[in-house]
Amino acid sequence: MTGLLQGLIRLDTVNPPGNETIAAEYLRGYLERNGVACELYARVPERANLVARIPGRGDGPKLLFLSHTDTVLADASEWQLDPWSGELVGGEVWGRGALDMKGQVAASAVAIASLAREGFEPAGDVIFAATADEEVGDDFGLTWLCSDYPDAVRADFAINEGAGERVELGGRPFYLCSTAEKTSAPFRLRVHGRSGHASMPGIADNALLKAARLLERLGELRPEPELGPEIEALLRAVTGTTPSPRDALELATSVSPLAVALVEPLLSFTVSPTMIEASRKRNVIPALCEVVVDCRLLPGQTTADVEPVIRAALGTGDYELEWIQAQGGTRSPLTGPLWDAVESFVADADPEAVVVPICVAGFTDSHWLREAFGTVAYGFFPARAMDPELAARLIHSADERVPVEDLELGVRFLRHAARAIGE
């Protein structure tokens, strides 16, 4: 498996432009050598998705190992090692994508290949999808497969990225399993003023200064907290208490800073201004300032629910608020065969630990499966060799690396899940 991951990392699939076909063909070669049937699906030739499967013996539930082969950019000058070297150092494989998520790609491929070599015949199909375009989402990857080739990825259950780390909370070990995600709902503020020469500010109405005042108000926004089922279950498992929404953050504070980091962004929708554009000339006071705000809604919330709260915080002014998009915000149940598979694996691999659900504050491809097929999709790839806070800092950053020990643990889990669902 280490060699398979090293080979994947050495393939430059930075998105944009992606070029994921080279990874799809590399994986196809490995899987076909191990007796797993594969198909490539590509909206354009250089951006292929690979789908492989072990056919089911009947009409049992289908299980999908979901992953993506594209990565974000890496600046080699910030790294200790070449980000595309795939070097093995101290039991860790280094390189862009080691954690997000070529490590899980490799583990998923090894898991399905090993099951095929053993002659495993599941009740329903076991599917492996290594998709393109997760990092940008321009409809070359899973979204396109769900709409144009739905039968290729249709599944009852899916295992994806999103969680799996072993954390210490209140002096006890827990494994996080992501069962939901927030909605990504960015919006644009267009703030209007009156242009003028920058040497005579009194004759103009500076839209940039007006935008700054609005941004200060957004920074002070504290929406009313809500307690979703994931955070309720997590806090109950950790503390034995189910708090009110207003008391949840205080209860998390009594546990640890890590508990606060997990809970705080999941108690309400969030707003984070991230992009701004005003005058393009130093000596021209802008008549228009545009600000893009990253907004994340709780599962089940809509833009119509939160817009009045945002407008109340902004107050009156010469501005327009335009929603750019809204996607995500799905959740899967906290019970059922896949949850049982996660719990039984952890009980065997780490008997002192307990599995708890979490909602992803960001966005994953699990959303597309839940929305298209009603798939029960979890983010769970168990990891215990690397400190979870270190791993979080390395994703999309310099010196990304993954312990081989965690890759092996992940393979064990995926094989266990396939047998638990498919036998």
Side-chain angles (χ1 to χ4, degrees):
M1 175 174 49
T2 299
L4 184 66
L5 174 56
Q6 290 175 304
L8 277 172
I9 288 174
R10 291 165 186 157
L11 301 173
D12 185 350
T13 54
V14 170
N15 185 12
N19 292 324
E20 297 94 340
T21 295
I22 55 175
E25 291 175 339
Y26 174 75
L27 290 165
R28 177 171 64 179
Y30 168 78
L31 291 168
E32 288 184 344
R33 288 193 299 273
N34 285 274
V36 185
C38 301
E39 292 285 346
L40 297 189
Y41 299 87
R43 184 177 158 196
V44 294
E46 65 274 15
R47 309 209 62 183
N49 304 269
L50 176 137
V51 179
R53 74 181 64 231
I54 300 175
R57 63 180 185 270
D59 58 356
K62 295 180 179 180
L63 172 64
L64 171 63
F65 298 160
L66 177 62
S67 57
H68 64 85
T69 56
D70 60 324
T71 73
V72 297
L73 187 65
D75 183 347
S77 67
E78 299 177 349
W79 287 61
Q80 298 180 54
L81 302 173
D82 180 349
W84 289 278
S85 68
E87 284 198 44
L88 177 63
V89 179
E92 297 176 326
V93 179
W94 285 58
R96 173 57 80 227
L99 288 167
D100 183 18
M101 68 172 298
K102 288 182 175 179
Q104 190 168 341
V105 173
S108 298
V110 168
I112 195 169
S114 65
L115 290 167
R117 288 195 307 270
E118 294 167 6
F120 178 53
E121 296 182 351
D125 294 358
V126 174
I127 311 163
F128 166 53
T131 65
D133 195 33
E134 190 272 347
E135 297 290 358
V136 174
D138 279 340
D139 201 30
F140 293 100
L142 187 62
T143 54
W144 176 74
L145 285 171
C146 287
S147 62
D148 285 41
Y149 294 93
D151 289 340
V153 290
R154 189 188 308 272
D156 301 282
F157 302 100
I159 298 168
N160 190 19
E161 64 180 342
E165 57 268 45
R166 186 187 195 269
V167 298
E168 295 280 341
L169 298 170
R172 297 163 55 207
F174 296 88
Y175 282 82
L176 303 178
C177 179
S178 66
T179 59
E181 62 188 36
K182 297 181 84 172
T183 300
S184 175
F187 62 87
R188 182 180 289 108
L189 286 178
R190 288 192 180 93
V191 186
H192 298 277
R194 186 176 65 256
S195 63
H197 198 285
S199 66
M200 304 176 67
I203 68 170
D205 185 16
N206 196 322
L208 183 55
L209 291 176
K210 296 169 75 173
R213 291 190 285 271
L214 294 176
L215 294 181
E216 285 184 359
R217 295 170 192 167
L218 281 184
E220 297 168 356
L221 174 60
R222 300 292 182 271
E224 188 70 18
E226 299 182 27
L227 196 62
E230 299 82 18
I231 296 304
E232 180 180 339
L234 185 149
L235 289 174
R236 187 169 59 248
V238 173
T239 69
T241 302
T242 302
S244 69
R246 293 193 175 192
D247 293 334
L249 190 58
E250 182 179 351
L251 182 60
T253 302
S254 71
V255 175
S256 68
L258 176 57
V260 173
L262 292 172
V263 169
E264 186 172 25
L266 303 176
L267 292 176
S268 68
F269 73 90
T270 59
V271 290
S272 299
T274 54
M275 301 170 68
I276 190 166
E277 182 178 357
S279 176
R280 296 192 177 186
K281 287 183 65 69
R282 175 188 57 80
N283 60 352
V284 176
I285 291 173
L288 175 67
C289 180
E290 293 194 349
V291 180
V292 174
V293 181
D294 185 281
C295 181
R296 307 287 171 138
L297 314 182
L298 293 173
Q301 280 185 329
T302 67
T303 56
D305 294 330
V306 304
E307 183 171 332
V309 181
I310 295 171
R311 288 189 178 275
L314 291 170
T316 58
D318 194 3
Y319 68 86
E320 303 161 13
L321 189 158
E322 174 192 27
W323 294 99
I324 300 172
Q325 63 180 356
Q327 57 188 22
T330 56
R331 59 168 35 111
S332 291
L334 308 184
T335 59
L338 189 53
W339 184 265
D340 292 344
V342 174
E343 282 197 320
S344 60
F345 174 80
V346 170
D348 179 67
D350 200 342
E352 295 182 356
V354 174
V355 182
V356 289
I358 193 73
C359 177
V360 177
F363 185 87
T364 77
D365 273 347
S366 292
H367 158 70
W368 306 116
L369 295 173
R370 295 188 187 117
E371 187 176 67
F373 313 122
T375 304
V376 175
Y378 290 167
F380 189 78
F381 190 70
R384 61 187 180 190
M386 178 179 282
D387 178 84
E389 294 183 72
L390 171 61
R393 291 195 299 271
L394 292 177
I395 293 173
H396 288 201
S397 187
D399 296 339
E400 184 180 359
R401 56 197 185 269
V402 63
V404 174
E405 180 182 333
D406 283 341
L407 296 174
E408 293 171 345
L409 185 67
V411 171
R412 286 172 52 196
F413 164 66
L414 293 166
R415 286 172 49 84
H416 171 85
R419 292 192 177 278
I421 298 293
E423 286 188 336

